[in-house]
C-alpha cells in the first residue's frame, strides 16, 4: 500500500457522518420512543411474520401449475 495523498477528495460531510456512526454508542440514550422501536423490531415484527408463515405453511404450491390451476392447496 502506498502512503501519500489519496487520489480522491474526501467529502467532509461524509467523513463527519462516518465518525458519528462509529461513535453512536456514546450518544445513544434509552427513551420510551427508542425502547418502543426496539421492541417492535426485535419482538413484534418477527412474531407477526412467523405467525403468518406458520398459518400459511403448505397452503400455496407454485410448482408445476398450468394456466387456470389454483395455487391454493386447501
Amino acid at each position: 500500500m502506498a502512503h501519500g495523498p489519496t487520489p480522491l477528495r474526501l467529502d467532509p460531510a461524509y467523513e463527519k457522518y462516518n465518525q458519528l456512526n462509529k461513535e453512536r454508542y456514546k450518544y445513544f440514550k434509552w427513551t420510551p420512543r427508542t425502547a418502543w422501536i426496539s421492541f417492535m423490531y426485535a419482538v413484534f415484527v418477527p412474531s407477526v411474520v412467523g405467525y403468518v408463515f406458520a398459518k400459511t405453511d403448505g397452503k400455496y404450491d407454485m410448482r408445476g401449475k398450468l394456466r387456470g390451476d389454483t395455487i391454493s392447496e386447501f
Side-chain angles (χ1 to χ4, degrees), residues 21-37:
N21 202 18
K22 285 193 304 190
E23 298 177 352
R24 185 177 301 268
Y25 68 95
K26 293 180 182 178
Y27 306 106
F28 181 78
K29 185 167 78 168
W30 282 105
T31 63
R33 181 178 184 268
T34 57
W36 178 250
I37 292 171

Side-chain angles (χ1 to χ4, degrees), residues 5-19:
T6 59
L8 300 174
R9 292 177 49 176
L10 300 175
D11 184 10
Y14 182 72
E15 292 299 317
K16 182 179 177 183
Y17 171 75
N18 191 22
Q19 187 66 23

Side-chain angles (χ1 to χ4, degrees), residues 34-67:
T34 57
W36 178 250
I37 292 171
S38 298
F39 170 77
M40 293 300 278
Y41 281 116
V43 177
F44 183 72
V45 171
S47 298
V48 169
V49 170
Y51 176 76
V52 169
F53 285 167
K55 291 301 278 185
T56 60
D57 187 32
K59 183 173 183 174
Y60 303 108
D61 185 18
M62 303 291 187
R63 302 179 85 191
K65 296 294 180 179
L66 300 174
R67 186 180 301 168

